[in-house]
Amino acid sequence: MADAVPTTASLEDIYTQEDLVVQQRRWDQLQSRFEKHYGRKPQFISRSPGRVNIIGEHIDYSLYEVMPMAITADILLAVAENASDGPAQETKEPTVRLANVHNTKYGDRQFRVPLTGDVEIDSSAHDWSNYFKAGLRGALARLRQTTDGGEDLVPRSMDVLVDGTVPAGSGLSSSSAFVCASALAVLRANGMTSVDKKTLVELAIVSERAVGLNSGGMDQSASVLSKRGTALYVSFKPELSGQAVEFPATEPELTFLVAQSFVTAEKHVSAPVCYNLRVVECSLAAQVLAKLLGVSRPLPRDSSPLEVSLRGLHDAYFEEKEGVADNSTTPADEFRAQLQILLDRSREVLSKHEGYTRDEIADILGQSVDDLEKRFMTRCPVRAERFKLQQRATHVFGEAMRVLDFRSELRFPGHDDADADADVAVSELPARLGRLMNESQRSCRELYECCCPELDEICAVALQAGAYGSRLTGAGWGGCTVHLVPQGSVNEIKTSLEKDYYDKHFPDLTPDQQREAVVVSKPASGAFLFKALATST
């Protein structure tokens, strides 16, 4: 996957023809506003898109495969480095001036960049500039590690103007897009003319955790690695990789709708009782299962947020108990069978359906509650009396199976029916894919408890109107839903959602909100660097 983030001077390389007119106007306005704000033209623009997760919810931070796709909505950073920086400024801390096109909501910021050490980020403040600082911190750390004389690196001062069309709190990963675009911009401004995609993803994953959210890696992978027209199959073991996945031609033609609930999911704010709590529960489930299933060796430290994962438990169990030499090379059908075994064993041995207390978990692991909290709840502060280990583990194992099944259906429709006619298998593909999405939604609601009534209602309306499959996408607790639909039924399903959800719950939506409420989503391109040109007239 050694592949550089592409650089272009043409928006045709980034967007489809149907989006070009709107995007050209937007990019021209961004460059004009930059010149008006800073008194000079931008030198380049970094761009990173949001994403929709088709299937594989909340399992990336357990290091299982997921299948997202990038969307057209994106974050743009117009940038000019300070030409006055140089040897004469080596004792002066560089300055970043940060502004936003939507300046009534996101005010201007200015801050110094220390010549040594990390950029300070107050994750409790929830300031919009934290996402830029997170990308800045990760990029500078990378430059200092990999550049000749990097320990003496003097970062360049930067003027930055941000424009984003990924709605905040929508579940479409605006935060990861912002961090990726920021890190890309800092790398480029400080002389890295060729930015490796995998490097960018890996540093962005770690960088975003500085904002207070312990994400897995799906969002950053989709934002950087995606290619226009294809979904992305993301793997985390034995190493981070992304494979383009095409949807076969079907009759009727398929497309995806993305529908906003307009329930804002500020996951960085609610993390201690929602997102981060699930991260902790999954890592605790891995450690407890290892004890209860008799895994004698310590679980391997890995790239998950708390450095121990259900995937680590999975591999350790079958390598120790079944003599598998390297479980990361196990074929997909055998790997799926392993997941079923782990799901069944989790239901059997994690018997406390009401959840486990800190004392009970500490007792199983043979450690004090203080040590337990220090190990698992310092990096990820949480608020909970009980931890639902059985429900979280069974969701993860079941969802990982659904991802494998979804991919197999796309590659070999009807793969589980040796007697199936090929044409019949393809004709039944939409319903089979939809069924997997619906099962994912049910698991998110009942086992992972990351849904909300509004998301369930949208899914029910869409299915009643003709969608094959409907599910939440992103962290949940609000945000967006994604729907697999026949192309010919798009208008009918949109009309049903408007009448039976939006008019009912949000009758006062602005015209812009009405247009954005339900959109057709086609797989879009990933991150780009754009050579800024004179604006159009």
Side-chain angles (χ1 to χ4, degrees):
M1 198 176 60
D3 190 12
V5 174
T7 299
T8 185
S10 171
L11 294 186
E12 291 183 358
D13 294 333
I14 304 175
Y15 302 105
T16 61
Q17 286 295 320
E18 60 193 86
D19 294 319
L20 270 179
V21 173
V22 171
Q23 292 297 337
Q24 184 68 63
R25 185 183 310 118
R26 175 184 169 222
W27 284 59
D28 285 352
Q29 289 174 347
L30 175 65
Q31 294 179 75
S32 296
R33 291 188 66 164
F34 185 98
E35 186 172 6
K36 182 178 180 180
H37 192 83
Y38 291 116
R40 55 179 175 153
K41 296 181 184 295
Q43 296 164 329
F44 66 89
I45 297 172
S46 69
R47 179 255 182 193
S48 208
R51 64 94 191 96
V52 163
N53 189 22
I54 300 171
I55 196 162
E57 213 62 75
H58 281 282
I59 64 174
D60 58 330
Y61 50 80
S62 288
L63 302 187
Y64 283 106
E65 288 77 6
V66 292
M67 191 179 295
M69 66 180 187
I71 58 177
T72 302
D74 53 20
I75 304 293
L76 307 179
L77 272 66
V79 180
E81 62 185 76
N82 193 328
S84 67
D85 285 356
Q89 303 294 321
E90 288 181 356
T91 60
K92 180 180 178 182
E93 289 186 337
T95 299
V96 171
R97 296 191 294 178
L98 188 64
N100 198 299
V101 166
H102 309 283
N103 56 4
T104 56
K105 186 175 182 180
Y106 306 108
D108 291 2
R109 299 288 185 266
Q110 180 171 315
F111 57 91
R112 295 281 189 180
V113 180
L115 296 177
T116 59
D118 286 333
V119 178
E120 184 177 346
I121 299 175
D122 181 2
S123 60
S124 66
H126 307 299
D127 187 79
W128 77 277
S129 65
N130 282 352
Y131 301 104
F132 179 86
K133 290 177 180 178
L136 173 67
R137 176 190 282 190
L140 292 181
R142 181 71 185 185
L143 288 165
R144 285 168 176 150
Q145 291 169 1
T146 60
T147 307
D148 289 340
E151 63 277 5
D152 299 320
L153 173 75
V154 178
R156 306 305 296 265
S157 291
M158 298 169 63
D159 290 336
V160 182
L161 181 61
V162 180
D163 182 25
T165 56
V166 188
S170 65
L172 301 178
S173 199
S174 59
S175 57
S176 294
F178 194 1
V179 172
C180 289
S182 300
L184 178 59
V186 173
L187 291 171
R188 177 64 187 86
N190 285 276
M192 187 175 285
T193 56
S194 179
V195 178
D196 178 68
K197 288 182 178 181
K198 182 180 176 182
T199 297
L200 179 58
V201 171
E202 290 175 339
L203 75 85
I205 292 170
V206 176
S207 296
E208 191 170 344
R209 293 173 186 168
V211 187
L213 184 73
N214 288 278
S215 62
M218 172 186 67
D219 300 346
Q220 298 85 354
S221 298
S223 192
V224 175
L225 304 178
S226 291
K227 296 182 178 180
R228 193 163 69 195
T230 64
L232 189 71
Y233 183 75
V234 182
S235 302
F236 300 97
K237 292 192 72 175
E239 63 179 4
L240 175 69
S241 65
Q243 296 178 332
V245 177
E246 295 186 355
F247 278 69
T250 58
E251 182 58 45
E253 182 183 351
L254 298 176
T255 193
F256 287 98
L257 283 183
V258 177
Q260 290 199 47
S261 69
F262 290 110
V263 176
T264 302
E266 295 286 5
K267 58 186 180 181
H268 294 84
V269 177
S270 61
V273 293
C274 294
Y275 193 98
N276 282 355
L277 177 57
R278 297 299 182 273
V279 172
V280 169
E281 286 176 316
C282 286
S283 288
L284 288 174
Q287 291 284 47
V288 170
L289 279 171
K291 279 286 186 180
L292 298 180
L293 296 178
V295 177
S296 61
R297 65 187 188 189
L299 294 186
R301 291 294 179 102
D302 55 34
S303 61
S304 62
L306 293 175
E307 299 179 344
V308 62
S309 66
L310 284 166
R311 176 62 190 272
L313 169 275
H314 179 156
D315 292 341
Y317 179 82
F318 285 97
E319 288 170 3
E320 180 174 315
K321 299 296 184 180
E322 303 294 335
V324 177
D326 179 1
N327 204 53
S328 66
T329 64
T330 298
D333 56 343
E334 295 178 25
F335 193 81
R336 190 195 186 285
Q338 292 176 351
L339 285 164
Q340 184 65 61
I341 291 170
L342 288 173
L343 191 153
D344 293 339
R345 295 303 311 275
S346 296
R347 287 174 174 159
E348 175 188 338
V349 303
L350 295 173
S351 56
K352 291 184 176 293
H353 192 268
E354 72 278 11
Y356 292 76
T357 65
R358 286 171 168 80
D359 287 321
E360 290 168 337
I361 295 171
D363 185 57
I364 293 171
L365 298 181
Q367 58 186 239
S368 69
V369 171
D370 284 346
D371 287 342
L372 179 78
E373 292 178 337
K374 186 180 298 183
R375 169 67 180 88
F376 292 100
M377 302 172 204
T378 300
R379 192 182 306 175
C380 280
V382 298
R383 297 195 300 272
E385 296 301 319
R386 290 184 175 272
F387 300 84
K388 295 186 176 181
L389 306 188
Q390 184 205 84
Q391 293 92 323
R392 309 319 181 216
T394 53
H395 166 79
V396 170
F397 296 138
E399 188 77 347
M401 284 192 284
R402 284 185 285 274
V403 173
L404 292 176
D405 290 346
F406 201 96
R407 186 189 187 213
S408 293
E409 289 289 358
L410 292 176
R411 298 174 70 191
F412 313 109
H415 65 96
D416 59 349
D417 185 354
D419 298 323
D421 177 86
D423 291 336
V424 172
V426 172
S427 69
E428 294 177 349
L429 178 63
R432 296 164 78 103
L433 296 177
R435 186 160 52 248
L436 291 168
M437 293 176 67
N438 296 334
E439 290 171 0
S440 173
Q441 172 66 9
R442 183 163 52 252
S443 185
C444 285
R445 177 179 63 248
E446 297 176 1
L447 296 176
Y448 222 71
E449 298 178 282
C450 60
C451 198
C452 68
E454 293 84 355
L455 294 174
D456 271 330
E457 186 173 352
I458 290 175
C459 290
V461 170
L463 290 170
Q464 182 67 30
Y468 291 113
S470 298
R471 58 180 298 277
L472 65 85
T473 185
W477 297 288
C480 283
T481 54
V482 60
H483 312 270
L484 181 67
V485 306
Q487 179 67 50
S489 300
V490 166
N491 290 334
E492 180 181 347
I493 295 171
K494 289 178 70 172
T495 299
S496 293
L497 287 168
E498 289 164 4
K499 178 172 70 75
D500 295 331
Y501 180 76
Y502 297 109
D503 290 349
K504 177 180 172 183
H505 295 289
F506 300 97
D508 299 322
L509 293 179
T510 67
D512 284 345
Q513 288 175 319
Q514 291 173 0
R515 283 191 296 272
E516 296 171 355
V518 184
V519 297
V520 175
S521 184
K522 297 180 180 178
S525 59
F528 261 88
L529 280 168
F530 182 81
K531 300 175 183 177
L533 304 173
T535 56
S536 301
T537 57

